[in-house]
Amino acid sequence: MTQPTAEEHAPPGEEPTELKRVMGPKLLLLFIVGDILGTGVYALTGQVAAEVGGAAWAPFIVAFLIALITAFSYLELVTKYPQAAGAALYTHKAFGVHFLTFIVCFTVMCSGITSASTAARAVGSNLLAGFGIEGSSTWTVVAVALVFMALVAAVNLRGVGESVKANIVLTLVELSGLLFIILVGVFAAFGGKADFSRVMVFESPGDKSAFLAVTAATALAFFAMVGFEDAVNMAEETHDPVKNFPRMMIAGIGITGVIYVLVAIFTVAIVPVGELGASDTPLTLVVERALPGFPIGSIFPFITIFAVANSALINMLMASRLLYGMAKQRVLPPFLGRVSPRRQTPTAAIVFTTVIALGLIVLVTLQEENGVIAALGGTTSLLLLAVFTIVNVAVLKLRSNIVDRKHFVAPTILPILGALLCAFFVGPWTGRDPLQYQIAGWLLLIGVILWFVTWAFNRPEPTRITDPDALSEREGGTN
């Protein structure tokens, strides 16, 4: 007797899906918090302080507000279209242009895989440092990174339940590291080791105006807030996404925003700005200054490992679900939409994204002397801000598309404001490293080439889709 499929027995209020729904509201909240926290704050605080001085908390607040505004647009769209693929799906439905959809899909995928690949290398270097293996060759670090990425793929192939459980453990450890910094700050404040007068001092490098300095610092700080968009790619694996996403996403962004601001305030109050800006590990300096003799140097490498491992896991989850969702929409070759009947995981997309990540780890290592590694974080932020601009416009475009379910509706002013702000922070006037634009340009060029390949593969599908909803219905009969 044939067993019923997940698609045949979707609970009320949930879209039928081939994927396995395992994420309730609590797991979704932990996923969002772990995704946003990532590794950015562990290194960014010092860089932000170097731009604006003691007022390092201000750019984090601005970045938080921009992220929150854009999150409202994502919430309207994910509750209106609770399917995998996120921004690419929304672009697909709003504009129906195959080329634009593909480029958005490719851009988001690149942001996830570049972030995961960079995180994998960080796992390698921190793991060796944590075990006291000094002076390891670059290729030793790469070997560890490749093994780690293969392990991430194995967890993802095993099942989304296993991936989410791993995310819970990694998020809790990652969160504990930042909460420890905040507790150290409170201890230092009561012990007279913190100078909060520095927190209100604004100092910009060179002859930068206050506006340009805050803009440049916000462009840096925004990298620490971009993670929330990964969650919408898990919509088909979340229970009742229409109900759960609004509460959990707003709560997750709020929690991480408060943590970031507190960490920035205590960091500046305990360590002078000049020392913070010159350090690659500003949070380690905070503990060393507030708790002399505490063995932070032997502990923080392992906390960092958990943080970057979580970032890699979540980004690879996102990238594979993105490709799966777009393959189901016939924007990508159909084979990427194949799902394991036993595990209910998008196996083809997981393998495909893992192969790209492994290649990128090696490629980035070969270009290490050109500063590519240092620019990848900013490039990720740049690409996602461009995507956020499109998503905010898509919300307004799709207002005319009425669906037969209740869904979250953002105040109209928010997507307008979000589109303008995100577009502003894409521009070169933010003081971005020009190398970030070069890397983004090369990635987009590769995307254009791959679009031609995909177009040829998917023929006779049209390159301009005039009715994406009809295409989605048609797609079910082509597999």
Side-chain angles (χ1 to χ4, degrees):
M1 183 176 178
T2 304
Q3 293 294 323
T5 65
E7 292 181 301
E8 293 170 341
H9 287 285
E14 293 184 354
E15 290 273 330
T17 177
E18 292 182 84
L19 303 182
K20 187 176 182 180
R21 295 190 187 274
V22 300
M23 295 176 66
K26 294 179 182 178
L27 291 183
L28 180 60
L29 178 61
L30 278 173
F31 186 94
I32 293 170
V33 169
D35 195 12
I36 297 175
L37 289 180
T39 58
V41 72
Y42 282 87
L44 280 178
T45 308
Q47 298 176 35
V48 171
E51 291 287 341
V52 295
W57 49 270
F60 281 107
I61 290 180
V62 176
F64 161 76
L65 291 175
I66 297 172
L68 186 61
I69 289 170
T70 299
F72 275 92
S73 293
Y74 270 96
L75 287 175
E76 177 167 336
L77 293 171
V78 74
T79 55
K80 194 173 184 178
Y81 311 107
Q83 302 163 9
L89 175 69
Y90 312 145
T91 303
H92 177 59
K93 288 185 174 293
F95 306 105
V97 180
H98 185 279
F99 176 76
L100 179 60
T101 301
F102 183 90
I103 291 300
V104 169
C105 176
F106 181 79
T107 300
V108 177
M109 183 194 74
C110 283
S111 72
I113 293 179
T114 54
S115 179
S117 300
T118 306
R121 290 188 87 262
V123 167
S125 58
N126 279 281
L127 188 63
L128 294 173
F131 284 108
I133 305 175
E134 303 294 341
S136 302
S137 69
T138 298
W139 290 105
T140 302
V141 174
V142 170
V144 176
L146 294 176
V147 171
F148 167 74
M149 189 58 71
L151 180 62
V152 169
V155 173
N156 285 344
L157 287 168
R158 174 76 179 171
V160 69
E162 286 74 8
S163 299
V164 171
K165 289 175 184 176
N167 168 251
I168 292 173
V169 175
L170 295 173
T171 297
L172 291 176
V173 175
E174 179 182 17
L175 186 58
S176 68
L178 295 176
L179 293 179
F180 176 69
I181 295 296
I182 294 172
L183 289 176
V184 167
V186 173
F187 174 81
F190 281 104
K193 295 181 179 180
D195 181 4
F196 288 99
S197 65
R198 289 199 292 255
V199 174
M200 302 307 295
V201 176
F202 180 88
E203 297 173 343
S204 59
D207 57 352
K208 277 187 180 179
S209 66
F211 177 78
L212 288 179
V214 171
T215 298
T218 301
L220 285 172
F222 197 77
F223 176 62
M225 294 297 303
V226 296
F228 69 89
E229 94 291 344
D230 289 344
V232 299
N233 288 280
M234 307 298 291
E236 292 186 38
E237 289 156 298
T238 301
H239 292 296
D240 199 355
V242 175
K243 176 183 177 182
N244 289 327
F245 261 97
R247 294 179 299 149
M248 296 304 104
M249 185 174 285
I250 292 174
I253 293 176
I255 290 170
T256 53
V258 170
I259 290 173
Y260 281 161
V261 171
L262 289 176
V263 167
I265 289 174
F266 283 124
T267 299
V268 171
I270 295 171
V271 182
V273 171
E275 294 182 43
L276 285 175
S279 175
D280 292 329
T281 55
L283 302 191
T284 302
L285 279 180
V286 172
V287 180
E288 291 175 345
R289 193 62 54 84
L291 300 175
F294 189 85
I296 188 64
S298 59
I299 295 175
F300 244 63
F302 292 101
I303 295 179
T304 304
I305 287 171
F306 280 93
V308 297
N310 200 28
S311 178
L313 175 64
I314 291 175
N315 277 284
M316 294 306 290
L317 275 170
M318 178 276 293
S320 60
R321 272 58 180 182
L322 171 62
L323 296 194
Y324 159 80
M326 286 293 91
K328 299 298 287 184
Q329 296 283 336
R330 294 288 295 180
V331 173
L332 298 177
F335 79 88
L336 289 172
R338 292 176 184 170
V339 174
S340 166
R342 181 183 177 190
R343 297 291 180 186
Q344 292 180 261
T345 55
T347 51
I350 291 172
V351 172
F352 185 80
T353 51
T354 301
V355 169
I356 295 176
L358 295 175
L360 186 60
I361 290 171
V362 175
L363 180 62
V364 164
T365 302
L366 293 173
Q367 298 293 321
E368 187 172 10
E369 295 181 358
N370 297 330
V372 171
I373 295 176
L376 281 181
T379 304
T380 300
S381 174
L382 172 65
L383 292 174
L384 287 178
L385 280 166
V387 170
F388 289 171
T389 303
I390 295 174
V391 169
N392 280 303
V393 175
V395 172
L396 301 173
K397 178 74 165 56
L398 287 168
R399 286 281 170 87
S400 61
N401 186 8
I402 308 300
V403 296
D404 59 352
R405 76 165 65 84
K406 291 183 179 179
H407 61 84
F408 183 89
V409 179
T412 302
I413 187 61
L414 293 184
I416 296 174
L417 189 58
L420 293 174
L421 287 171
C422 290
F424 173 80
F425 280 98
V426 169
W429 43 80
T430 57
R432 289 183 181 277
D433 183 349
L435 182 58
Q436 295 176 17
Y437 292 100
Q438 294 178 31
I439 296 173
W442 280 107
L443 287 173
L444 292 177
L445 178 60
I446 293 171
V448 171
I449 295 171
L450 289 178
W451 175 78
F452 280 106
V453 174
T454 303
W455 175 82
F457 192 96
N458 274 350
R459 290 183 70 187
E461 287 290 338
T463 56
R464 177 173 177 82
I465 303 163
T466 56
D467 188 356
D469 292 328
L471 177 65
S472 300
E473 295 168 4
R474 242 184 8 252
E475 168 288 310
T478 61
N479 292 338

